[in-house]
Amino acid sequence: MAALSLQAGNSLLCQQQRLLWKISSMDPSLYERKLIKIHSRKSLICCSRNAFALDYIPEYKMKIARELEVMFGVEDYIPSKELGLKFGHLSITDLETDLQNSLNPSSRFRVAYQGVEGTSSESAAEKVYPNCEAIACEQSETAFNAVENWLVDRAVLPIENSLGGSIHQNHDLLLRHSLHIVGEVYLKLRHCLPANYAVALEDLRHVISHPQALAQCENTLTKMGVIGEAVEDTAGAAQSIFANKFQDAGAVASSKAAQIYGLNILAHKIQDDTINVTRFFMLARDPIVPSTDRPFKTSIVFSIKEGPGVLANALAVFSTRDINLTKIESRPLHKQPLLVTNGSVNGCTMYFDNLFYLDFEASMADQRSQNALRHLEEFAKFIRVLGSYPTYASST
């Protein structure tokens, strides 16, 4: 094994990686990329830098980066109405036009995603909007702000995974912001275990990645005897492995991320289940005008009044109208998470006051949906429609 490690340490790829380390330490700008970072809804963009292992950025993306640098160099926030931008609703034709625009390499159709280049969110953005200008954002909220402030046209963000469950942060952001869900896309994930060259599988003590990716590979990582450590995103984990020259750590990331950041893949397809699919939402400033000429899905969030059987009655408004529910997710109400009511042995009962995120298979143009939400008002303190959008068939 020692001989194999020595041979790996002297390999051409290992020597190239050492050369990249040396070059990047002398002039980090050779392997850097700009990310959008927004501090508040009315702040302007500050560009932060992350080191790249390879000179991977095509010339047209470098041109975009230079344009963004000029665009975000102004000092004052300019309201959208002063730019002559129009507000309204999106039609199905608008969505099809967006897709056609994104297919044109010369178009300026921008789509924000969370993470750095090579993450699954970027792949999802490029899958639904081919040849779009995929804009990396440090945080999910940054992507929301970028759309709201007219810096990008769309955001594509993960909402749930078949193994790891829901991404709770993004559920909360849907409520905190005013964007609308205009579509969904499903992406099949194949996680790898990349590390620096000359690092063997038995050398690993730690594996870093996004919490969802770690959860999706939990059993595999446990069998390997490594400790998982959470970071912002999968591709960022691969980037960190290279930048910090870790000799005892690997990442859970895609093969694309391993290629971008010059890492060696120690193991392929390490997810606990071969079927590992993430659902992403496509978000826009304006909602879609719903129709009934094709399958639609609607996402809502609501909170219920106090009392026995209220939740059961609230859900029954859909079943009595033959509307299929595809998802229900509860989240604590942040401003008032705990309720205290009379009636227990000690004189009071404490429980969490929850919000319920719900998806159902029907368009808001369908009279059944309108009647169901009208009926739901009898049991709910609050209702908001997050989006009513077409359910396009999507291969994984």
Side-chain angles (χ1 to χ4, degrees):
M1 183 59 67
L4 289 175
S5 298
L6 180 62
Q7 183 180 3
N10 292 326
S11 69
L12 177 60
L13 288 172
C14 189
Q15 291 174 26
Q16 289 176 346
Q17 188 177 62
R18 287 172 180 164
L19 178 61
L20 286 171
W21 278 331
K22 183 178 179 180
I23 294 173
S24 61
S25 64
M26 291 187 297
D27 185 2
S29 66
L30 293 176
Y31 300 100
E32 290 181 345
R33 171 194 182 126
K34 294 178 182 295
L35 302 182
I36 290 180
K37 183 178 181 181
I38 304 176
H39 298 290
S40 68
R41 291 186 63 181
K42 287 195 174 182
S43 70
L44 282 183
I45 307 303
C46 298
C47 293
S48 61
R49 298 177 180 272
N50 280 342
F52 263 56
L54 300 175
D55 190 8
Y56 187 82
I57 308 177
E59 177 59 30
Y60 80 92
K61 286 197 175 184
M62 293 298 293
K63 180 181 178 182
I64 293 167
R66 287 192 292 270
E67 290 174 354
L68 290 176
E69 188 171 18
V70 173
M71 176 182 175
F72 302 145
V74 294
E75 295 296 331
D76 298 318
Y77 174 79
I78 303 175
S80 301
K81 61 182 180 180
E82 295 183 15
L83 297 175
L85 300 173
K86 297 181 179 180
F87 296 85
H89 291 73
L90 298 173
S91 67
I92 297 298
T93 303
D94 292 328
L95 295 182
E96 293 170 348
T97 301
D98 291 343
L99 178 59
Q100 291 301 318
N101 288 339
S102 70
L103 289 170
N104 182 4
S106 64
S107 74
R108 299 182 61 82
F109 193 84
R110 293 189 170 105
V111 180
Y113 67 93
Q114 188 275 323
V116 300
E117 189 165 3
T119 192
S120 58
S121 293
E122 182 193 31
S123 298
E126 292 177 342
K127 177 179 181 178
V128 70
Y129 299 116
N131 292 327
C132 68
E133 297 177 17
I135 306 297
C137 300
E138 288 185 330
Q139 306 288 338
S140 292
E141 187 156 22
T142 308
F144 274 83
N145 287 331
V147 179
E148 287 178 330
N149 289 306
W150 294 82
L151 300 173
V152 297
D153 300 286
R154 297 285 185 272
V156 174
L157 294 170
I159 198 66
E160 62 178 327
N161 175 266
S162 59
L163 298 180
S166 295
I167 291 88
H168 299 304
Q169 176 194 19
N170 290 345
H171 276 98
D172 295 339
L173 289 172
L174 286 170
L175 188 59
R176 292 215 305 265
H177 290 264
S178 58
L179 299 186
H180 303 270
I181 304 168
V182 296
E184 61 181 359
V185 61
Y186 292 83
L187 187 70
K188 189 171 185 178
L189 304 184
R190 297 175 179 87
H191 292 308
C192 299
L193 182 59
N196 285 310
Y197 283 91
V199 175
L201 192 60
E202 56 267 26
D203 297 329
L204 299 184
R205 298 293 178 268
H206 307 273
V207 171
I208 62 175
S209 193
H210 188 277
Q212 277 279 331
L214 293 174
Q216 294 159 23
C217 306
E218 183 177 6
N219 294 337
T220 303
L221 297 178
T222 299
K223 292 177 182 178
M224 291 180 177
V226 295
I227 300 172
E229 297 180 3
V231 294
E232 289 294 336
D233 65 277
T234 54
Q239 184 186 68
S240 178
I241 292 296
F242 170 83
N244 292 286
K245 306 179 184 179
F246 289 133
Q247 298 300 304
D248 63 348
V252 175
S254 66
S255 57
K256 179 181 178 181
Q259 176 190 4
I260 292 172
Y261 302 107
L263 301 178
N264 179 37
I265 297 177
L266 300 178
H268 292 267
K269 299 180 181 179
I270 63 171
Q271 61 272 7
D272 294 336
D273 197 312
T274 54
I275 301 176
N276 181 24
V277 179
T278 295
R279 179 189 181 205
F280 294 81
F281 276 158
M282 298 136 63
L283 304 172
R285 288 176 292 274
D286 302 314
I288 298 173
V289 177
S291 66
T292 56
D293 61 348
R294 65 188 69 194
F296 258 69
K297 187 181 288 186
T298 299
S299 297
I300 66 171
V301 57
F302 64 94
S303 63
I304 58 173
K305 301 173 182 178
E306 299 175 27
V310 176
L311 179 57
N313 292 332
L315 297 180
V317 306
F318 299 97
S319 61
T320 56
R321 293 170 175 85
D322 199 28
I323 297 176
N324 184 42
L325 303 183
T326 59
K327 176 182 173 64
I328 183 167
E329 177 83 18
S330 65
R331 296 286 294 145
L333 187 62
H334 288 179
K335 292 184 179 179
Q336 189 181 355
L338 199 63
L339 287 183
V340 180
T341 61
N342 295 326
S344 71
V345 176
N346 297 323
C348 66
T349 301
M350 293 188 296
Y351 61 93
F352 289 113
D353 191 10
N354 287 314
L355 291 166
F356 296 93
Y357 291 82
L358 187 145
D359 295 346
F360 60 87
E361 291 181 325
S363 168
M364 281 305 299
D366 190 329
Q367 191 63 46
R368 296 177 305 155
S369 299
Q370 298 174 26
N371 292 339
L373 293 195
R374 244 182 242 113
H375 194 178
L376 181 61
E377 289 177 354
E378 297 179 17
F379 312 105
K381 296 184 292 185
F382 159 80
I383 304 174
R384 176 178 162 189
V385 177
L386 299 171
S388 189
Y389 44 94
T391 54
Y392 293 114
S394 177
S395 61
T396 56

